[in-house]
C-alpha cells in the first residue's frame, strides 16, 4: 500500500502537471477550513462558499506557496482573509445581537444527533449554547487550538495576533464553556 | 458571568507548566476545565464540510475550460495541456519567448500530425512578474486578467526586487504594479500602451504559435 503523500508531495505533483491531485488537498483540508470559517461567523452555506473560493484561489496561486510543507497554514490564511473581507460587507453576519448576549460565531452547530439519548441531546444543546456565547476571536482561537490542533505560534502566524493574546482568548473560551456546561448540570459530580 | 480559572491551570493545559506543580484542588479544577474543553472540541470536530472537492475541481475546469478528469488519448493530452507549469517566463522576453514556450507546451514529440487547437483557454502558463522597488513595503499586481483587482502580491526576493508567478492564459494582457497601495507603477521592461484614460499600462502578449497542436 502506498504511503499517504504529504501536502508538499501533492503540491509538487500538481505543479508538475498532475493537476487532478489537487482534489486530494481539498479533501484533506476542507473540513478544517469549513470549521474555521464557521468560527469566524460565517453561516454554513457561506462557509462552504468561502472554502471553495479559498481552494480555487490556492490553486491559482499554488506556485506562490513558498513552503508547501505548511500548505494548510497557507490556505488557512487565504480562507481567513476571504471570510473577513466577506464579513466586512453589510448584512453578511450570521449571528447578530443588540444586547451582546449572543454575539458568538456559532449560533448552532446543526450536527444531526438522531442516535443520541435524551441526556446526550441535552449535552449537545448545552455545548451549542456555550459555543454560541463565545465572541468570534475566542471561537476562532479555540477551534484552531483544540479542534484543529494548531500550536499557538502557528495560530499567531495565521491570524496576526500575538501568542499572549491568543492564549488569553483560549483561556476565556475554556472558562466560558466550562461555566455554561456546569451551569446546565454537565460537570463533575 | 464567567469565573476566571486559575491561570496556572491554563498554563498546564497549554503545556507551559507541569501538572505535578498543581495542588490537589488545582488538579481537580484542571480536570473540570479540560473535560469541558474536550467535550466542546469533540462536538465541533463532528462538523463536516458538505464535500467540496468536486465543486472546486469543476470551478477550476470552468476557469480553464478543460476538464482535469478527461480520459483516453485525447483526454490525457488535454489534461497535460490544462496542467499549469512552473515556467519562469518574463513579460519582457516578449512575443518570441511566449511563442517558444507555447510551442514547447503544445507540440508533443513523436506524435502523428495533430489537428490545430482552437482552445487557447486550455493552456496555462506561469508568468513571472518582477519589479525593482527597493523602498517599497508592499507590491501588488493588477491587470485585465484580475479585473484590475490587485489580487497578486509580489514577494521580496532580494536586492530590492519583488517577484510573483501568476498562472495565465494566452492572450493580450494589460497590467500595472501597485506599490505601497497607492502608487500605480508601469513595468519598465514591458511595452506601454494607452489606457484610454490619459494614462498608460504595461502590456504582455502571450500568443500561441501557428504550429501549436494538440494530439
Amino acid at each position: 500500500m502506498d504511503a499517504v503523500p504529504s501536502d508538499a508531495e501533492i503540491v509538487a505533483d500538481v505543479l508538475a502537471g498532475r493537476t487532478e491531485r489537487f482534489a486530494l488537498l481539498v479533501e484533506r483540508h476542507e473540513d478544517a477550513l469549513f470549521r474555521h470559517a464557521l468560527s469566524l461567523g460565517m453561516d454554513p452555506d457561506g462557509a462552504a462558499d468561502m472554502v471553495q473560493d479559498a481552494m480555487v484561489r490556492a490553486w491559482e496561486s499554488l506556485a506562490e506557496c513558498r513552503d508547501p510543507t505548511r500548505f494548510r497554514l497557507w490556505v488557512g490564511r487565504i480562507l481567513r482573509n476571504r471570510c473577513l473581507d466577506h464579513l466586512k460587507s453589510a448584512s453578511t453576519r450570521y449571528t447578530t445581537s443588540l444586547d451582546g448576549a449572543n454575539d458568538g460565531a456559532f449560533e448552532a452547530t446543526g450536527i444531526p444527533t438522531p442516535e443520541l439519548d435524551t441526556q446526550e441531546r441535552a449535552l449537545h444543546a448545552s455545548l451549542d449554547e456555550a459555543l454560541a456565547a463565545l465572541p468570534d476571536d475566542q471561537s476562532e482561537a479555540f477551534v484552531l487550538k483544540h479542534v484543529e490542533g494548531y500550536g499557538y505560534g502557528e495560530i499567531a502566524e495565521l491570524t496576526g495576533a500575538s501568542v499572549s493574546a491568543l492564549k488569553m482568548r483560549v483561556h476565556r473560551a475554556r472558562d466560558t464553556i466550562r461555566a455554561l456546561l456546569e451551569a446546565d448540570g454537565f460537570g463533575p459530580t | 458571568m464567567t469565573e476566571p480559572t486559575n491561570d496556572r491551570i491554563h498554563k498546564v493545559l497549554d503545556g507551559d507548566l507541569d501538572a505535578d506543580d498543581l495542588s490537589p484542588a488545582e488538579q481537580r479544577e484542571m480536570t473540570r476545565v479540560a473535560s469541558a474543553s474536550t467535550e466542546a472540541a469533540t462536538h465541533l470536530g463532528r462538523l463536516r464540510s458538505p464535500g467540496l472537492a468536486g465543486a472546486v475541481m469543476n470551478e477550476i475546469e470552468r476557469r480553464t475550460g478543460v476538464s482535469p478528469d478527461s480520459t483516453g488519448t485525447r483526454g490525457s493530452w488535454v489534461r497535460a495541456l490544462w496542467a499549469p507549469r512552473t515556467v519562469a517566463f518574463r513579460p519582457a522576453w516578449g512575443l518570441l519567448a511566449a511563442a517558444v514556450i507555447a510551442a514547447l507546451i503544445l507540440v508533443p514529440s513523436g506524435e502523428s500530425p495533430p489537428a490545430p487547437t482552437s482552445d487557447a483557454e486550455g493552456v496555462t502558463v506561469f508568468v513571472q512578474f518582477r519589479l525593482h522597488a527597493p523602498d517599497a513595503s508592499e507590491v501588488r499586481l493588477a491587470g485585465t486578467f484580475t479585473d484590475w483587482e490587485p489580487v497578486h502580491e509580489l514577494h521580496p526576493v532580494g536586492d530590492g526586487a519583488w517577484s510573483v508567478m501568476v498562472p495565465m492564459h494566452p492572450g493580450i494582457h494589460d497590467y500595472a504594479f501597485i506599490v505601497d497601495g497607492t502608487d500605480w507603477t508601469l513595468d519598465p521592461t514591458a511595452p506601454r500602451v494607452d489606457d484610454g484614460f490619459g494614462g498608460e499600462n504595461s502590456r504582455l502578449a502571450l500568443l500561441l504559435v501557428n504550429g501549436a497542436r494538440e494530439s
Side-chain angles (χ1 to χ4, degrees), chain A residues 47-134:
Chain A
D49 287 345
M50 288 298 108
V51 173
Q52 179 178 335
D53 183 75
M55 293 304 301
V56 171
R57 285 169 183 258
W59 176 81
E60 288 177 328
S61 53
L62 196 60
E64 297 171 34
C65 181
R66 285 173 286 182
D67 185 357
T69 62
R70 287 148 49 93
F71 175 82
R72 79 162 182 161
L73 203 61
W74 181 71
V75 73
R77 262 198 304 269
I78 295 174
L79 173 89
R80 187 174 194 273
N81 290 337
R82 291 292 299 135
C83 288
L84 295 183
D85 286 346
H86 181 77
L87 290 166
K88 279 180 188 169
S89 58
S91 305
T92 57
R93 190 57 198 271
Y94 183 41
T95 305
T96 58
S97 172
L98 295 178
D99 61 10
N102 183 27
D103 61 351
F106 292 104
E107 186 172 75
T109 59
I111 297 169
T113 56
E115 75 287 2
L116 301 180
D117 62 24
T118 303
Q119 178 74 1
E120 288 172 317
R121 285 175 188 271
L123 171 60
H124 282 210
S126 184
L127 285 166
D128 280 350
E129 179 192 2
L131 293 166
L134 300 179

Side-chain angles (χ1 to χ4, degrees), chain A residues 16-45:
Chain A
R18 299 180 66 189
T19 316
E20 72 282 357
R21 286 173 67 80
F22 190 74
L24 297 177
L25 291 174
V26 181
E27 291 168 354
R28 181 174 293 178
H29 295 290
E30 63 176 310
D31 286 340
L33 293 171
F34 182 68
R35 290 187 287 264
H36 188 182
L38 291 175
S39 79
L40 290 166
M42 299 295 303
D43 65 81
D45 287 342

Side-chain angles (χ1 to χ4, degrees), chain B residues 60-97:
Chain B
I60 291 172
E61 174 189 345
R62 189 187 69 77
R63 294 188 183 197
T64 59
V66 183
S67 170
D69 295 324
S70 301
T71 55
T73 304
R74 183 181 185 284
S76 61
W77 172 235
V78 169
R79 185 163 57 247
L81 275 180
W82 179 82
R85 288 157 167 75
T86 47
V87 179
F89 170 68
R90 292 292 317 284
W93 295 354
L95 182 59
L96 177 61

